[in-house]
Structure formats: C-alpha cells, structure tokens
Amino acid sequence: MSRVKPIRRLAVLACAAVAVAGLTPQATATPRPVNGYQLAHSTRFYVDPNSKAARQAVADLRAGHLTDARNMAKLASWPESFWLTEGTPRQVRAKVRGIMHAAKATHTVPVLVLYNVPGRDCSNYSSGGAASPAAYDAWVRAVAGGIGDGKALTIVEPDGLALLPQDCGNGADPDGARTAERLSSIKSAIKTLERRPSTSVYVDGGTSNWQSPGVITQRLLAAGADSAQGIALNVSNYQPTDQLNQYATWVSKCIHYATHGGTGTAESRATECAGQYYSASAPNDGKPGNSVTFEDPSTWHWSDAWYDSHVGTVPADQLTHYVLDTSRNGLGAWTAPDKYTDDEHWCNAPGRGVGVRPTADTGRPLADAYLYVKIIGESDGTCHRGTPGPGDPEYGGVEDPPAGAWWPDFAHTLARNARPSLEWNLAD
C-alpha cells in the first residue's frame, strides 16, 4: 500500500469526525532550552501515516463499523514507536534512514526501539535476536548509521536487563557467561548510539512490578546506563502512570545514591535502596501499614522516606531521567482471578485501555516523555494462563495471535477503554 492513500483516507476520517465532535486544537507546549540529546517540551514525535491503526480504520470504515473506524483513526493520529527487531545491517540501516527521512520532512522526532539482543525474552514468546554479540554490535552500528545526525529517541532492549540470561532458569546460564555478554552488548549499544550527536538514548529498566530499584540499578550501572540520557520503563506493560513515576524517581535516586560518595562499591550501595517491596525506614513490625507492600501503594511513603533521608533533594539535572510507555496503562494493571496457576498478567491483559497521550511536556522534572512504545493492538503472545491451552481462557478459549501480530479485537478494546478518552492529535 502506498504512503499517500493512507494519509488521504485518514484525513477524510479525521475531518468528518472533527466536524461531528466540534473539537478544537490543543494548546502548544511551552518550549524549553534544548542542547544535544535533550528533548524540548515542544517536541513532536513522528506519526506514521501507514500505521496498523490507520489501516484498521480504513478496514473498519469499509465494513461499516463507524465507531471502531473513528476510534482507530483517532489512535492513528498519535505517534507510536518503530520496533527494530531483525534484518541484516544493510537492511536495518535502510529502514532507519527511511524513517528518519520521513520524520525530517514533518519536523518530528521518531521513536526507535532496538529489540534484537541475542537470546531476548529467554527464548519465549518474543524469542529471537542477533546470532552473536558480534552480529548484534554490527547491527547496532547500522542503526546508528541510519540515524546519522538527525534527531531521534531510542529505547535500548526492552526487558534486556530486567530479564537477564541468569533469570531464565533451567540452567540457562550456569557460569554467567551469557549474562556477562548481555551486559556487554547493551553497554556497547549505548556507546554506539550516544556517539550520534542528536540521539537520545534510554535504556530499558523493566517496570514497577518487577525488579526492585536496587536490583535494576545494579544492572543499569553494569550496562553503562549512567552514560545514557536515561531509562525507559513499562514497555509493553500495564502499570499505572502515577505508580511508575514514583518507582522511576526511586530508581533515579538509587542510581545517584549508589554512585555519589559513601563507603563500599556502587553495587553494594544499591542493595540498600528502598523500593516497592521493602524500606528500612518502615517499622517493619508486622503491624498493618508498617511495611512496604507492592499491592498497597499507600505504604510506599516508607520508601519515599528512605530516599528523603539518604539522598535528599537533588537538582533534576543531576539525576537520571526517564520515559514511560503509557500505551496500554489507562486503566492500570489487570487484577487476575485466583483460578489460574500462572495468570500471565503481562500477556494481553483483558479489559485494559490506552493511557496518557504521547508528549514531551509531562510536567515532571525527571520524566522526559510519555510515549506509545508498544504498538497498540499487537498481541503479547499466545497466553494460556497455566491451562493446557491452546486457547486463552480470558478470551473465551480463543487462541491469542503470536507476539507482535496485529489483533483487531484487542486494538478496538484498548481504544474503547482509553483513559483519558481518545481525542484527535491535531498538533500533528
């Protein structure tokens, strides 16, 4: 399909819907000074006119499903990321150059996700990756070559550090060699991308219901993330934005605590950091509310107290910044029923909704952007939730599409349940 036709079709849908709804353009974000890798508040991210949501809008319109067509067209007006997951160096360089050229023509910034590290996802639903560390290094250099001197935001290896080879179980990394290779590969990728004069690099750090701030800080530092622009959180996950901002601030302050003075190594100091599971500042006496519980955010003030006493107030320019994936967290995380032996809460969580719109004007000093990193409507994989399968019991026994495959019903549900409700991105 040509790139021109989707633009015209999307424009027709947009004009019709705007006429009906009487929508008005959003206010322009206030610019801030920007140097090198930093993003101005006024940054606009690239919108792909041939996105899967745009194509779904056309299909829904042809089928007479006007509400779905309208929702998909609204969704398609917002920027999403481009996932770089395979290909030869020559192929990925050409792909990235094409994206950069299109973004330059619209004066916008593309979001590129590098997801090709060897042994990714413990060879599970999203298995794959480069054949070797050397092949991966060559591939990353090609990505950087495709970016050139243009402005781009890159996210390095979702789950790459939160799920190391040593976490895969079943003797996947008995001597630690694969984990060492993973850390080295990500460190090399950071260095390669950081050499680009206008590329903002964010290293994935998992999400708020996964590793503690101390653990993920150790891994981020081991992978050289302190030389990147910041970290990325909640990629392809569903945790709520407020919770993520609190967790991200802890990680940022934990990195500062681990690397600024004190006795012991940075690794040992990171182990002291409070988080979503424990805080030494809490009484921890067994009484309700006197210890940190992940499921009860009202107890998280004990971890805030730890950072207040151990880190204090640090200027934002001295702390690690971050970006959040808000593509599917509008209704927060799914609370799975107890009937499953493995609820796979991260896998095609039912009844979820699109979250806060992409923006670089977050109103928070450490949050550089909220982004739609996960392609909204793509499946997380074939979920069985501890049952024999092959179907997903949460979807009436229907077998979920493979990871990365487009799933119209899933896309429609996420768009319908968006919080805040979907509106048109008239700025782009």
Side-chain angles (χ1 to χ4, degrees), residues 30-45 108-111 151-155 198-202 229 321-324 359-362 364-371:
T30 303
R32 67 180 174 189
V34 57
N35 294 305
Y37 310 113
Q38 295 178 333
L39 296 172
H41 287 320
S42 57
T43 298
R44 293 187 304 127
F45 298 104
T108 57
V109 176
V111 178
K151 186 74 175 176
L153 188 156
T154 58
I155 295 175
S198 300
T199 298
S200 301
V201 183
Y202 295 86
Q229 175 69 17
H321 288 216
Y322 61 88
V323 297
L324 302 180
T359 180
D361 191 9
T362 66
R364 301 185 67 93
L366 299 182
D368 288 350
Y370 298 148
L371 304 168

mmCIF file of all heavy atoms in Angstrom, residues 30-45 108-111 151-155 198-202 229 321-324 359-362 364-371:
data_model
loop_
_atom_site.group_PDB
_atom_site.id
_atom_site.type_symbol
_atom_site.label_atom_id
_atom_site.label_comp_id
_atom_site.label_asym_id
_atom_site.label_seq_id
_atom_site.Cartn_x
_atom_site.Cartn_y
_atom_site.Cartn_z
ATOM 1 N N THR A 30 4.857 24.679 25.937
ATOM 2 C CA THR A 30 5.861 25.724 26.147
ATOM 3 C C THR A 30 7.256 25.175 25.879
ATOM 4 O O THR A 30 7.646 24.176 26.482
ATOM 5 C CB THR A 30 5.795 26.240 27.589
ATOM 6 O OG1 THR A 30 4.473 26.711 27.833
ATOM 7 C CG2 THR A 30 6.791 27.367 27.804
ATOM 8 N N PRO A 31 8.016 25.789 24.983
ATOM 9 C CA PRO A 31 9.361 25.272 24.688
ATOM 10 C C PRO A 31 10.292 25.436 25.887
ATOM 11 O O PRO A 31 10.079 26.287 26.743
ATOM 12 C CB PRO A 31 9.816 26.152 23.509
ATOM 13 C CG PRO A 31 8.589 26.798 22.982
ATOM 14 C CD PRO A 31 7.679 26.937 24.147
ATOM 15 N N ARG A 32 11.315 24.630 25.940
ATOM 16 C CA ARG A 32 12.364 24.798 26.934
ATOM 17 C C ARG A 32 13.701 24.747 26.203
ATOM 18 O O ARG A 32 13.797 24.199 25.104
ATOM 19 C CB ARG A 32 12.295 23.698 27.996
ATOM 20 C CG ARG A 32 12.618 22.304 27.478
ATOM 21 C CD ARG A 32 12.527 21.269 28.585
ATOM 22 N NE ARG A 32 12.699 19.933 28.023
ATOM 23 C CZ ARG A 32 12.499 18.821 28.720
ATOM 24 N NH1 ARG A 32 12.127 18.890 29.964
ATOM 25 N NH2 ARG A 32 12.656 17.645 28.150
ATOM 26 N N PRO A 33 14.743 25.312 26.782
ATOM 27 C CA PRO A 33 16.058 25.257 26.127
ATOM 28 C C PRO A 33 16.464 23.809 25.884
ATOM 29 O O PRO A 33 16.204 22.934 26.710
ATOM 30 C CB PRO A 33 16.974 25.932 27.151
ATOM 31 C CG PRO A 33 16.068 26.792 27.962
ATOM 32 C CD PRO A 33 14.766 26.054 28.033
ATOM 33 N N VAL A 34 17.071 23.550 24.761
ATOM 34 C CA VAL A 34 17.446 22.186 24.429
ATOM 35 C C VAL A 34 18.866 22.168 23.877
ATOM 36 O O VAL A 34 19.231 22.993 23.055
ATOM 37 C CB VAL A 34 16.455 21.560 23.413
ATOM 38 C CG1 VAL A 34 16.362 22.391 22.154
ATOM 39 C CG2 VAL A 34 16.846 20.133 23.066
ATOM 40 N N ASN A 35 19.656 21.242 24.362
ATOM 41 C CA ASN A 35 21.020 21.078 23.885
ATOM 42 C C ASN A 35 21.275 19.602 23.619
ATOM 43 O O ASN A 35 20.981 18.757 24.457
ATOM 44 C CB ASN A 35 22.019 21.592 24.933
ATOM 45 C CG ASN A 35 21.916 23.094 25.131
ATOM 46 O OD1 ASN A 35 22.024 23.833 24.169
ATOM 47 N ND2 ASN A 35 21.692 23.536 26.353
ATOM 48 N N GLY A 36 21.818 19.301 22.455
ATOM 49 C CA GLY A 36 22.222 17.943 22.160
ATOM 50 C C GLY A 36 21.116 16.928 22.276
ATOM 51 O O GLY A 36 20.163 16.938 21.518
ATOM 52 N N TYR A 37 21.251 16.053 23.299
ATOM 53 C CA TYR A 37 20.379 14.895 23.386
ATOM 54 C C TYR A 37 19.035 15.200 24.040
ATOM 55 O O TYR A 37 18.122 14.396 23.987
ATOM 56 C CB TYR A 37 21.070 13.807 24.210
ATOM 57 C CG TYR A 37 22.478 13.501 23.761
ATOM 58 C CD1 TYR A 37 23.563 13.797 24.566
ATOM 59 C CD2 TYR A 37 22.707 12.919 22.522
ATOM 60 C CE1 TYR A 37 24.859 13.515 24.156
ATOM 61 C CE2 TYR A 37 23.999 12.633 22.097
ATOM 62 C CZ TYR A 37 25.075 12.934 22.922
ATOM 63 O OH TYR A 37 26.344 12.662 22.511
ATOM 64 N N GLN A 38 18.905 16.329 24.705
ATOM 65 C CA GLN A 38 17.693 16.599 25.460
ATOM 66 C C GLN A 38 16.509 16.890 24.552
ATOM 67 O O GLN A 38 16.657 17.367 23.431
ATOM 68 C CB GLN A 38 17.917 17.773 26.417
ATOM 69 C CG GLN A 38 18.950 17.466 27.499
ATOM 70 C CD GLN A 38 19.192 18.656 28.406
ATOM 71 O OE1 GLN A 38 19.022 19.795 27.987
ATOM 72 N NE2 GLN A 38 19.587 18.393 29.635
ATOM 73 N N LEU A 39 15.316 16.625 25.081
ATOM 74 C CA LEU A 39 14.093 16.883 24.341
ATOM 75 C C LEU A 39 13.446 18.159 24.856
ATOM 76 O O LEU A 39 13.289 18.340 26.061
ATOM 77 C CB LEU A 39 13.106 15.727 24.518
ATOM 78 C CG LEU A 39 13.518 14.361 23.973
ATOM 79 C CD1 LEU A 39 12.499 13.310 24.408
ATOM 80 C CD2 LEU A 39 13.627 14.396 22.458
ATOM 81 N N ALA A 40 13.057 19.035 23.950
ATOM 82 C CA ALA A 40 12.288 20.204 24.340
ATOM 83 C C ALA A 40 10.876 19.772 24.699
ATOM 84 O O ALA A 40 10.361 18.770 24.186
ATOM 85 C CB ALA A 40 12.251 21.209 23.193
ATOM 86 N N HIS A 41 10.232 20.529 25.587
ATOM 87 C CA HIS A 41 8.834 20.243 25.922
ATOM 88 C C HIS A 41 7.955 20.261 24.677
ATOM 89 O O HIS A 41 6.929 19.590 24.613
ATOM 90 C CB HIS A 41 8.302 21.263 26.921
ATOM 91 C CG HIS A 41 8.840 21.103 28.310
ATOM 92 N ND1 HIS A 41 9.040 19.880 28.906
ATOM 93 C CD2 HIS A 41 9.207 22.033 29.236
ATOM 94 C CE1 HIS A 41 9.506 20.057 30.124
ATOM 95 N NE2 HIS A 41 9.630 21.349 30.350
ATOM 96 N N SER A 42 8.347 21.065 23.707
ATOM 97 C CA SER A 42 7.544 21.232 22.491
ATOM 98 C C SER A 42 7.803 20.149 21.446
ATOM 99 O O SER A 42 7.236 20.197 20.349
ATOM 100 C CB SER A 42 7.830 22.605 21.880
ATOM 101 O OG SER A 42 9.224 22.749 21.609
ATOM 102 N N THR A 43 8.645 19.163 21.770
ATOM 103 C CA THR A 43 8.973 18.105 20.810
ATOM 104 C C THR A 43 7.718 17.403 20.312
ATOM 105 O O THR A 43 6.855 17.014 21.100
ATOM 106 C CB THR A 43 9.911 17.074 21.456
ATOM 107 O OG1 THR A 43 11.123 17.708 21.830
ATOM 108 C CG2 THR A 43 10.210 15.933 20.484
ATOM 109 N N ARG A 44 7.632 17.231 19.011
ATOM 110 C CA ARG A 44 6.559 16.437 18.418
ATOM 111 C C ARG A 44 7.180 15.153 17.874
ATOM 112 O O ARG A 44 8.202 15.185 17.202
ATOM 113 C CB ARG A 44 5.864 17.212 17.286
ATOM 114 C CG ARG A 44 5.087 18.426 17.775
ATOM 115 C CD ARG A 44 4.283 19.056 16.653
ATOM 116 N NE ARG A 44 5.115 19.414 15.507
ATOM 117 C CZ ARG A 44 4.886 19.032 14.254
ATOM 118 N NH1 ARG A 44 3.863 18.258 13.958
ATOM 119 N NH2 ARG A 44 5.685 19.412 13.282
ATOM 120 N N PHE A 45 6.534 14.041 18.159
ATOM 121 C CA PHE A 45 7.034 12.748 17.719
ATOM 122 C C PHE A 45 6.372 12.345 16.401
ATOM 123 O O PHE A 45 5.229 12.703 16.116
ATOM 124 C CB PHE A 45 6.796 11.697 18.801
ATOM 125 C CG PHE A 45 7.512 11.995 20.089
ATOM 126 C CD1 PHE A 45 6.825 12.485 21.190
ATOM 127 C CD2 PHE A 45 8.882 11.819 20.189
ATOM 128 C CE1 PHE A 45 7.488 12.776 22.374
ATOM 129 C CE2 PHE A 45 9.562 12.114 21.355
ATOM 130 C CZ PHE A 45 8.858 12.598 22.455
ATOM 131 N N THR A 108 9.527 16.263 12.909
ATOM 132 C CA THR A 108 9.191 15.499 14.104
ATOM 133 C C THR A 108 10.326 14.545 14.458
ATOM 134 O O THR A 108 11.272 14.357 13.685
ATOM 135 C CB THR A 108 7.889 14.698 13.893
ATOM 136 O OG1 THR A 108 8.038 13.839 12.747
ATOM 137 C CG2 THR A 108 6.695 15.612 13.699
ATOM 138 N N VAL A 109 10.213 13.923 15.626
ATOM 139 C CA VAL A 109 11.247 13.030 16.140
ATOM 140 C C VAL A 109 10.700 11.603 16.188
ATOM 141 O O VAL A 109 9.680 11.359 16.833
ATOM 142 C CB VAL A 109 11.687 13.466 17.554
ATOM 143 C CG1 VAL A 109 12.707 12.478 18.133
ATOM 144 C CG2 VAL A 109 12.270 14.874 17.515
ATOM 145 N N PRO A 110 11.361 10.652 15.547
ATOM 146 C CA PRO A 110 10.893 9.265 15.610
ATOM 147 C C PRO A 110 11.360 8.584 16.896
ATOM 148 O O PRO A 110 12.405 8.927 17.456
ATOM 149 C CB PRO A 110 11.551 8.615 14.390
ATOM 150 C CG PRO A 110 12.829 9.377 14.226
ATOM 151 C CD PRO A 110 12.521 10.806 14.640
ATOM 152 N N VAL A 111 10.572 7.628 17.350
ATOM 153 C CA VAL A 111 10.933 6.800 18.497
ATOM 154 C C VAL A 111 11.303 5.422 17.964
ATOM 155 O O VAL A 111 10.474 4.734 17.348
ATOM 156 C CB VAL A 111 9.777 6.687 19.506
ATOM 157 C CG1 VAL A 111 10.174 5.776 20.669
ATOM 158 C CG2 VAL A 111 9.381 8.069 20.022
ATOM 159 N N LYS A 151 17.669 13.936 14.593
ATOM 160 C CA LYS A 151 17.146 13.823 15.954
ATOM 161 C C LYS A 151 16.303 12.559 16.067
ATOM 162 O O LYS A 151 15.392 12.329 15.269
ATOM 163 C CB LYS A 151 16.287 15.046 16.288
ATOM 164 C CG LYS A 151 15.807 15.106 17.731
ATOM 165 C CD LYS A 151 16.918 15.471 18.684
ATOM 166 C CE LYS A 151 16.427 15.653 20.105
ATOM 167 N NZ LYS A 151 17.512 15.908 21.060
ATOM 168 N N ALA A 152 16.617 11.736 17.060
ATOM 169 C CA ALA A 152 15.859 10.500 17.284
ATOM 170 C C ALA A 152 15.860 10.164 18.758
ATOM 171 O O ALA A 152 16.797 10.512 19.490
ATOM 172 C CB ALA A 152 16.456 9.341 16.488
ATOM 173 N N LEU A 153 14.824 9.492 19.207
ATOM 174 C CA LEU A 153 14.758 8.943 20.561
ATOM 175 C C LEU A 153 14.830 7.432 20.438
ATOM 176 O O LEU A 153 14.023 6.825 19.726
ATOM 177 C CB LEU A 153 13.470 9.371 21.266
ATOM 178 C CG LEU A 153 13.335 9.047 22.749
ATOM 179 C CD1 LEU A 153 12.347 10.003 23.426
ATOM 180 C CD2 LEU A 153 12.891 7.603 23.015
ATOM 181 N N THR A 154 15.802 6.830 21.101
ATOM 182 C CA THR A 154 15.972 5.381 21.010
ATOM 183 C C THR A 154 15.753 4.734 22.369
ATOM 184 O O THR A 154 16.139 5.280 23.408
ATOM 185 C CB THR A 154 17.384 5.016 20.506
ATOM 186 O OG1 THR A 154 18.364 5.566 21.395
ATOM 187 C CG2 THR A 154 17.618 5.552 19.112
ATOM 188 N N ILE A 155 15.139 3.566 22.350
ATOM 189 C CA ILE A 155 14.950 2.756 23.554
ATOM 190 C C ILE A 155 15.694 1.447 23.328
ATOM 191 O O ILE A 155 15.441 0.736 22.345
ATOM 192 C CB ILE A 155 13.461 2.511 23.827
ATOM 193 C CG1 ILE A 155 12.771 3.841 24.155
ATOM 194 C CG2 ILE A 155 13.274 1.504 24.962
ATOM 195 C CD1 ILE A 155 11.280 3.731 24.333
ATOM 196 N N SER A 198 22.625 13.802 17.995
ATOM 197 C CA SER A 198 21.272 14.230 18.383
ATOM 198 C C SER A 198 20.371 13.053 18.732
ATOM 199 O O SER A 198 19.151 13.129 18.579
ATOM 200 C CB SER A 198 20.641 15.057 17.250
ATOM 201 O OG SER A 198 21.409 16.199 16.960
ATOM 202 N N THR A 199 20.974 11.968 19.188
ATOM 203 C CA THR A 199 20.190 10.775 19.540
ATOM 204 C C THR A 199 20.056 10.668 21.053
ATOM 205 O O THR A 199 21.054 10.574 21.767
ATOM 206 C CB THR A 199 20.865 9.499 18.994
ATOM 207 O OG1 THR A 199 20.916 9.579 17.570
ATOM 208 C CG2 THR A 199 20.074 8.265 19.394
ATOM 209 N N SER A 200 18.821 10.688 21.537
ATOM 210 C CA SER A 200 18.544 10.491 22.958
ATOM 211 C C SER A 200 18.415 8.999 23.220
ATOM 212 O O SER A 200 17.602 8.323 22.585
ATOM 213 C CB SER A 200 17.251 11.204 23.354
ATOM 214 O OG SER A 200 17.341 12.592 23.097
ATOM 215 N N VAL A 201 19.206 8.481 24.153
ATOM 216 C CA VAL A 201 19.260 7.040 24.415
ATOM 217 C C VAL A 201 18.666 6.739 25.780
ATOM 218 O O VAL A 201 19.123 7.267 26.801
ATOM 219 C CB VAL A 201 20.715 6.527 24.355
ATOM 220 C CG1 VAL A 201 20.745 5.017 24.548
ATOM 221 C CG2 VAL A 201 21.356 6.909 23.027
ATOM 222 N N TYR A 202 17.671 5.883 25.802
ATOM 223 C CA TYR A 202 17.038 5.441 27.045
ATOM 224 C C TYR A 202 17.141 3.916 27.122
ATOM 225 O O TYR A 202 16.727 3.207 26.207
ATOM 226 C CB TYR A 202 15.574 5.882 27.098
ATOM 227 C CG TYR A 202 15.428 7.382 27.152
ATOM 228 C CD1 TYR A 202 15.415 8.143 25.972
ATOM 229 C CD2 TYR A 202 15.351 8.059 28.362
ATOM 230 C CE1 TYR A 202 15.318 9.522 26.009
ATOM 231 C CE2 TYR A 202 15.257 9.441 28.418
ATOM 232 C CZ TYR A 202 15.234 10.165 27.230
ATOM 233 O OH TYR A 202 15.145 11.542 27.278
ATOM 234 N N GLN A 229 21.040 9.003 28.161
ATOM 235 C CA GLN A 229 20.163 10.101 28.556
ATOM 236 C C GLN A 229 19.289 9.695 29.730
ATOM 237 O O GLN A 229 18.970 10.500 30.592
ATOM 238 C CB GLN A 229 19.279 10.510 27.369
ATOM 239 C CG GLN A 229 18.230 11.573 27.686
ATOM 240 C CD GLN A 229 18.837 12.925 27.963
ATOM 241 O OE1 GLN A 229 19.987 13.159 27.633
ATOM 242 N NE2 GLN A 229 18.066 13.823 28.563
ATOM 243 N N HIS A 321 17.118 10.742 34.129
ATOM 244 C CA HIS A 321 15.772 10.998 33.615
ATOM 245 C C HIS A 321 15.166 9.701 33.063
ATOM 246 O O HIS A 321 15.822 8.669 32.989
ATOM 247 C CB HIS A 321 15.817 12.067 32.531
ATOM 248 C CG HIS A 321 16.084 13.448 33.075
ATOM 249 N ND1 HIS A 321 15.521 14.577 32.557
ATOM 250 C CD2 HIS A 321 16.851 13.867 34.124
ATOM 251 C CE1 HIS A 321 15.919 15.637 33.234
ATOM 252 N NE2 HIS A 321 16.738 15.224 34.185
ATOM 253 N N TYR A 322 13.903 9.790 32.656
ATOM 254 C CA TYR A 322 13.240 8.573 32.187
ATOM 255 C C TYR A 322 12.102 8.901 31.217
ATOM 256 O O TYR A 322 11.632 10.041 31.144
ATOM 257 C CB TYR A 322 12.692 7.757 33.363
ATOM 258 C CG TYR A 322 11.648 8.466 34.211
ATOM 259 C CD1 TYR A 322 10.291 8.413 33.892
ATOM 260 C CD2 TYR A 322 12.025 9.187 35.349
ATOM 261 C CE1 TYR A 322 9.341 9.053 34.673
ATOM 262 C CE2 TYR A 322 11.080 9.830 36.133
ATOM 263 C CZ TYR A 322 9.736 9.761 35.788
ATOM 264 O OH TYR A 322 8.799 10.412 36.565
ATOM 265 N N VAL A 323 11.684 7.875 30.478
ATOM 266 C CA VAL A 323 10.467 7.922 29.664
ATOM 267 C C VAL A 323 9.602 6.739 30.055
ATOM 268 O O VAL A 323 10.104 5.701 30.504
ATOM 269 C CB VAL A 323 10.781 7.887 28.146
ATOM 270 C CG1 VAL A 323 11.574 9.119 27.731
ATOM 271 C CG2 VAL A 323 11.530 6.613 27.760
ATOM 272 N N LEU A 324 8.295 6.902 29.896
ATOM 273 C CA LEU A 324 7.343 5.849 30.252
ATOM 274 C C LEU A 324 6.520 5.439 29.045
ATOM 275 O O LEU A 324 6.137 6.281 28.227
ATOM 276 C CB LEU A 324 6.384 6.329 31.353
ATOM 277 C CG LEU A 324 6.974 6.802 32.679
ATOM 278 C CD1 LEU A 324 5.847 7.226 33.614
ATOM 279 C CD2 LEU A 324 7.833 5.721 33.319
ATOM 280 N N THR A 359 3.701 12.684 24.830
ATOM 281 C CA THR A 359 4.079 14.083 24.981
ATOM 282 C C THR A 359 5.458 14.182 25.609
ATOM 283 O O THR A 359 5.858 13.302 26.369
ATOM 284 C CB THR A 359 3.071 14.845 25.862
ATOM 285 O OG1 THR A 359 3.474 16.216 25.987
ATOM 286 C CG2 THR A 359 2.985 14.242 27.250
ATOM 287 N N ALA A 360 6.169 15.243 25.293
ATOM 288 C CA ALA A 360 7.429 15.537 25.969
ATOM 289 C C ALA A 360 7.222 16.616 27.027
ATOM 290 O O ALA A 360 8.174 17.027 27.680
ATOM 291 C CB ALA A 360 8.477 16.008 24.957
ATOM 292 N N ASP A 361 5.978 17.040 27.193
ATOM 293 C CA ASP A 361 5.634 18.048 28.190
ATOM 294 C C ASP A 361 4.878 17.356 29.325
ATOM 295 O O ASP A 361 3.662 17.470 29.453
ATOM 296 C CB ASP A 361 4.781 19.140 27.549
ATOM 297 C CG ASP A 361 4.611 20.348 28.452
ATOM 298 O OD1 ASP A 361 5.287 20.407 29.498
ATOM 299 O OD2 ASP A 361 3.796 21.221 28.107
ATOM 300 N N THR A 362 5.601 16.614 30.155
ATOM 301 C CA THR A 362 4.981 15.762 31.170
ATOM 302 C C THR A 362 4.643 16.507 32.452
ATOM 303 O O THR A 362 3.871 16.000 33.272
ATOM 304 C CB THR A 362 5.925 14.600 31.543
ATOM 305 O OG1 THR A 362 7.091 15.122 32.188
ATOM 306 C CG2 THR A 362 6.336 13.815 30.294
ATOM 307 N N ARG A 364 6.726 16.893 34.805
ATOM 308 C CA ARG A 364 7.573 16.316 35.851
ATOM 309 C C ARG A 364 9.037 16.516 35.462
ATOM 310 O O ARG A 364 9.417 16.232 34.310
ATOM 311 C CB ARG A 364 7.258 14.837 36.061
ATOM 312 C CG ARG A 364 5.810 14.565 36.452
ATOM 313 C CD ARG A 364 5.606 13.099 36.750
ATOM 314 N NE ARG A 364 6.331 12.689 37.935
ATOM 315 C CZ ARG A 364 5.807 12.679 39.160
ATOM 316 N NH1 ARG A 364 4.560 13.061 39.365
ATOM 317 N NH2 ARG A 364 6.524 12.262 40.199
ATOM 318 N N PRO A 365 9.891 16.950 36.390
ATOM 319 C CA PRO A 365 11.267 17.312 36.026
ATOM 320 C C PRO A 365 12.117 16.152 35.522
ATOM 321 O O PRO A 365 13.052 16.377 34.749
ATOM 322 C CB PRO A 365 11.846 17.887 37.322
ATOM 323 C CG PRO A 365 10.973 17.356 38.413
ATOM 324 C CD PRO A 365 9.613 17.227 37.811
ATOM 325 N N LEU A 366 11.821 14.919 35.948
ATOM 326 C CA LEU A 366 12.633 13.778 35.523
ATOM 327 C C LEU A 366 12.001 13.006 34.367
ATOM 328 O O LEU A 366 12.680 12.211 33.718
ATOM 329 C CB LEU A 366 12.870 12.822 36.697
ATOM 330 C CG LEU A 366 13.620 13.379 37.903
ATOM 331 C CD1 LEU A 366 13.810 12.290 38.960
ATOM 332 C CD2 LEU A 366 14.969 13.951 37.496
ATOM 333 N N ALA A 367 10.730 13.204 34.122
ATOM 334 C CA ALA A 367 10.027 12.463 33.068
ATOM 335 C C ALA A 367 10.162 13.214 31.752
ATOM 336 O O ALA A 367 9.489 14.219 31.524
ATOM 337 C CB ALA A 367 8.564 12.275 33.441
ATOM 338 N N ASP A 368 11.023 12.729 30.882
ATOM 339 C CA ASP A 368 11.267 13.409 29.610
ATOM 340 C C ASP A 368 10.129 13.232 28.619
ATOM 341 O O ASP A 368 9.933 14.076 27.750
ATOM 342 C CB ASP A 368 12.568 12.899 28.983
ATOM 343 C CG ASP A 368 13.802 13.386 29.722
ATOM 344 O OD1 ASP A 368 13.671 14.267 30.589
ATOM 345 O OD2 ASP A 368 14.895 12.865 29.430
ATOM 346 N N ALA A 369 9.410 12.116 28.708
ATOM 347 C CA ALA A 369 8.318 11.890 27.764
ATOM 348 C C ALA A 369 7.438 10.746 28.222
ATOM 349 O O ALA A 369 7.898 9.808 28.886
ATOM 350 C CB ALA A 369 8.858 11.593 26.359
ATOM 351 N N TYR A 370 6.170 10.835 27.874
ATOM 352 C CA TYR A 370 5.256 9.700 27.891
ATOM 353 C C TYR A 370 5.089 9.282 26.432
ATOM 354 O O TYR A 370 4.855 10.136 25.567
ATOM 355 C CB TYR A 370 3.904 10.071 28.493
ATOM 356 C CG TYR A 370 3.960 10.525 29.939
ATOM 357 C CD1 TYR A 370 3.055 11.461 30.420
ATOM 358 C CD2 TYR A 370 4.919 10.017 30.819
ATOM 359 C CE1 TYR A 370 3.096 11.878 31.752
ATOM 360 C CE2 TYR A 370 4.966 10.426 32.145
ATOM 361 C CZ TYR A 370 4.052 11.360 32.602
ATOM 362 O OH TYR A 370 4.096 11.757 33.912
ATOM 363 N N LEU A 371 5.199 8.004 26.159
ATOM 364 C CA LEU A 371 5.237 7.521 24.788
ATOM 365 C C LEU A 371 4.331 6.311 24.588
ATOM 366 O O LEU A 371 4.055 5.577 25.543
ATOM 367 C CB LEU A 371 6.672 7.110 24.413
ATOM 368 C CG LEU A 371 7.768 8.162 24.585
ATOM 369 C CD1 LEU A 371 9.139 7.505 24.459
ATOM 370 C CD2 LEU A 371 7.602 9.271 23.554
#
